[in-house]
Amino acid sequence: ALSSIRFGTVTLVVQDGRVIQVDKSEKIRLNKVGYVDGGGI
């Protein structure tokens, strides 16, 4: 999950000492025309 994200968050859910869930939330910036901008957030 970390290698595929440029800007955002990765959350691990741990239960009984084991990772049971990985959530990834990625942020992208759109320019005024609606296209993905190459810059970061």
Side-chain angles (χ1 to χ4, degrees):
L2 287 175
S3 64
S4 67
I5 192 169
R6 289 190 57 191
F7 301 98
T9 60
V10 175
T11 305
L12 302 177
V13 178
V14 178
Q15 187 176 46
D16 295 327
R18 294 179 50 181
V19 176
I20 62 165
Q21 182 175 330
V22 178
D23 293 322
K24 178 178 82 167
S25 175
E26 187 167 7
K27 296 183 179 189
I28 59 171
R29 176 173 285 167
L30 302 177
N31 64 18
K32 293 180 181 176
V33 191
Y35 296 102
V36 175
D37 190 359
I41 296 292

